[in-house]
């Protein structure tokens, strides 16, 4: 009999599903595993108002497979023009659950992001007051800073001063990649948490150059050294409720990844829980998977925990070499290779 685990149905606290035909193509992968997901607002143009979040939510709901009970949790994209009144509206809407901070120019569709924190002071005060979390892409954009140091420098130069200025602001440091980020989160107050991706738990930066350049392993923040991957594994294996699941599954057409200037993003939604199970299993911490995947995020966001369950079995399955992505193709993580765990579809 193969090894099996049954856990409360998880949520994904950081997800890109894009729009239109792309949305239609990727959403079923998330909806089959997760009850809810925090939907990133970095569309073109970005989702900056509650009205835009509502219509994006309607498009997502319309793209769900028949019978799915998946709920999208919407976010607003913070710009230097965001008004404090929009924050109040967002909180009152009941369907906008957070505001996303992108440093301008840091990553995919981040041009409308924030250049100066001083331009968003009133907005941050409003968020602190009404308890709407700020989701932080934590990297500096200064080209003079080494790309592998950008998370650490952001924490030291920007995030620490920010939380001192807004001590009650709920902050999620998204997709953490370094021992510095783990240490920062552990020493910060309980209103500061972090999401961790499956790819940052499973891969170190060697994966970018394995026998040649590997564009499908390029994401932001970029993969780091093995010692940082180990720090992330230790963080999630500790069972500390400040660390929870956020896949940052970020689909891009194959043609834009295999390109002279390839896009950042790894697609993991096709096998998200299988990949997390593999990471936790690799360190003997499968007993900590449920808290990380299904409890701590909901608790942080003040939402009820899910009640249904999913089952994973330790059984190899092959990942397709490519997936259809609208009129394009999408190369998923582990394309043409094997997963160690499989998701039981009938549960
Ligand atoms: O790898 C990434 N992909 N990192 C991000 O911050 C954005 C994301 C995307 O939207 O493609
Ligand atoms: Zn992201």
């Amino acid at each position: 009999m193969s090894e099996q685990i049954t856990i409360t149905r998880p949520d994904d606290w950081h997800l890109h599903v894009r729009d239109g035909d792309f949305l239609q193509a990727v959403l079923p992968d998330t909806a089959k595993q997760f009850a809810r997901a925090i939907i990133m607002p970095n569309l073109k143009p970005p989702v900056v108002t509650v009205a835009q979040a509502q219509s994006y939510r309607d498009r997502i709901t319309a793209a769900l497979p028949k019978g799915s009970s998946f709920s999208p949790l919407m976010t607003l994209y913070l710009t230097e023009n965001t008004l404090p009144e929009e924050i109040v509206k967002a909180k009152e809407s009941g369907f906008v659950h957070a505001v996303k901070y992108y440093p301008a120019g840091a990553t995919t569709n981040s041009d409308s992001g924030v250049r100066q924190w001083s331009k968003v002071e009133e907005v941050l005060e409003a968020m602190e007051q009404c308890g709407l979390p700020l989701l932080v892409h934590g990297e500096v954009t200064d080209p003079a800073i080494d790309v592998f140091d950008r998370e650490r420098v952001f924490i030291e130069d920007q995030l620490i001063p920010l939380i001192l200025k807004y001590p009650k602001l709920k902050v999620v440091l998204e997709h953490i990649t370094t021992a510095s980020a783990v240490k920062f989160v552990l020493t910060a107050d309980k209103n500061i948490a972090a999401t961790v991706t499956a790819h940052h738990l499973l891969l170190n930066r060697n994966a970018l150059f394995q026998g040649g350049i590997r564009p499908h392993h390029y994401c932001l923040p970029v993969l780091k050294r093995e010692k940082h991957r180990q720090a992330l594994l230790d963080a999630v294996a500790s069972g500390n409720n400040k660390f929870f699941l956020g896949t940052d599954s970020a689909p891009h057409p194959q043609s834009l990844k295999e390109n002279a200037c390839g896009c950042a993003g790894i697609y993991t939604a096709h096998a998200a829980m299988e990949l997390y199970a593999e990471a936790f299993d690799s360190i003997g911490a499968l007993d900590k998977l449920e808290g990380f995947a299904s409890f701590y995020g909901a608790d942080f966001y003040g939402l009820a925990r899910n009640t249904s369950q999913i089952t994973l079995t330790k059984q190899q399955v092959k990942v397709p070499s490519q997936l259809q992505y609208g009129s394009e193709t999408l190369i998923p993580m582990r394309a043409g290779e094997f997963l160690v765990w499989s998701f039981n579809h009938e549960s």
Side-chain angles (χ1 to χ4, degrees):
M1 184 56 197
S2 353
E3 200 182 328
Q4 258 194 359
I5 54 164
T6 294
I7 60 168
T8 302
R9 187 170 291 277
D11 301 305
D12 184 349
W13 300 99
H14 184 128
L15 177 68
H16 300 267
V17 288
R18 316 304 187 200
D19 211 347
D21 291 348
F22 293 153
L23 166 64
Q24 197 80 42
V26 296
L27 187 64
D29 282 347
T30 291
K32 75 173 189 269
Q33 301 202 337
F34 296 98
R36 299 169 288 200
I38 283 277
I39 307 293
M40 286 297 125
N42 62 334
L43 302 182
K44 251 183 174 165
V47 178
V48 295
T49 65
V50 176
Q52 287 168 334
Q54 181 159 25
S55 85
Y56 187 28
R57 180 173 178 250
D58 291 344
R59 298 197 295 283
I60 294 170
T61 311
L64 280 171
K66 245 198 157 105
S68 170
S69 55
F70 174 82
S71 299
L73 310 174
M74 308 311 293
T75 60
L76 297 186
Y77 186 120
L78 181 64
T79 76
E80 292 184 353
N81 299 318
T82 303
L83 297 172
E85 297 87 80
E86 204 64 28
I87 299 302
V88 176
K89 244 200 223 174
K91 181 71 185 176
E92 283 171 355
S93 76
F95 59 82
V96 175
H97 293 270
V99 175
K100 178 70 192 258
Y101 162 81
Y102 286 106
T107 188
T108 309
N109 299 344
S110 63
D111 315 346
S112 320
V114 175
R115 285 182 169 74
Q116 287 175 277
W117 287 107
S118 60
K119 298 270 172 61
V120 293
E121 280 171 355
E122 286 174 36
V123 169
L124 295 175
E125 279 161 22
M127 289 172 62
E128 186 178 34
Q129 239 165 46
C130 72
L132 204 59
L134 181 71
L135 312 184
V136 174
H137 183 110
E139 288 192 290
V140 290
T141 53
D142 180 351
I145 307 288
D146 190 284
V147 69
F148 294 99
D149 294 334
R150 287 182 189 176
E151 183 175 272
R152 177 181 57 76
V153 174
F154 178 87
I155 292 167
E156 289 166 3
D157 292 0
Q158 300 196 32
L159 196 50
I160 292 175
L162 184 86
I163 64 169
L164 286 172
K165 190 160 177 188
Y166 307 96
K168 298 268 175 288
L169 182 65
K170 284 175 107 168
V171 174
V172 183
L173 184 54
E174 299 284 9
H175 40 54
I176 57 168
T177 62
T178 57
S180 315
V182 170
K183 190 170 163 214
F184 163 76
V185 172
L186 284 174
T187 49
D189 284 348
K190 67 175 190 332
N191 50 317
I192 313 294
T195 53
V196 189
T197 75
H199 47 279
H200 289 107
L201 289 172
L202 289 167
L203 303 172
N204 65 31
R205 67 190 196 178
N206 287 344
L208 284 163
F209 308 107
Q210 204 188 326
I213 192 137
R214 299 287 189 143
H216 299 292
H217 285 159
Y218 175 58
C219 62
L220 285 171
V222 72
L223 297 171
K224 303 295 193 299
R225 282 180 182 279
E226 178 61 11
K227 71 172 183 198
H228 294 296
R229 188 180 80 91
Q230 290 297 332
L232 299 181
L233 285 169
D234 289 347
V236 300
S238 73
N240 189 306
N241 65 2
K242 283 169 157 272
F243 301 97
F244 46 83
L245 186 155
T247 62
D248 197 16
S249 177
H252 290 279
Q254 181 178 8
S255 58
L256 296 183
K257 294 282 295 172
E258 298 172 14
N259 190 292
C261 186
C263 293
I266 300 182
Y267 187 69
T268 52
H270 64 296
M273 288 309 298
E274 296 90 318
L275 292 166
Y276 279 109
E278 182 177 327
F280 277 69
D281 192 16
S282 73
I283 45 164
L286 275 175
D287 60 321
K288 300 295 193 316
L289 181 61
E290 185 176 41
F292 171 82
S294 316
F295 297 159
Y296 306 151
D299 298 348
F300 183 86
Y301 278 85
L303 297 170
R305 293 178 179 183
N306 299 317
T307 50
S308 63
Q309 295 184 315
I310 62 155
T311 298
L312 296 152
T313 305
K314 194 163 186 178
Q315 197 167 55
Q316 286 211 336
V317 252
K318 196 167 181 183
V319 176
S321 55
Q322 60 179 52
L323 303 172
Q324 197 61 39
Y325 188 46
S327 58
E328 306 269 352
T329 50
L330 172 61
I331 307 298
M333 185 165 160
R334 289 277 168 85
E337 294 170 15
F338 286 89
L339 299 168
V340 182
W341 285 79
S342 68
F343 181 84
N344 293 27
H345 290 268
E346 70 284 3
S347 68

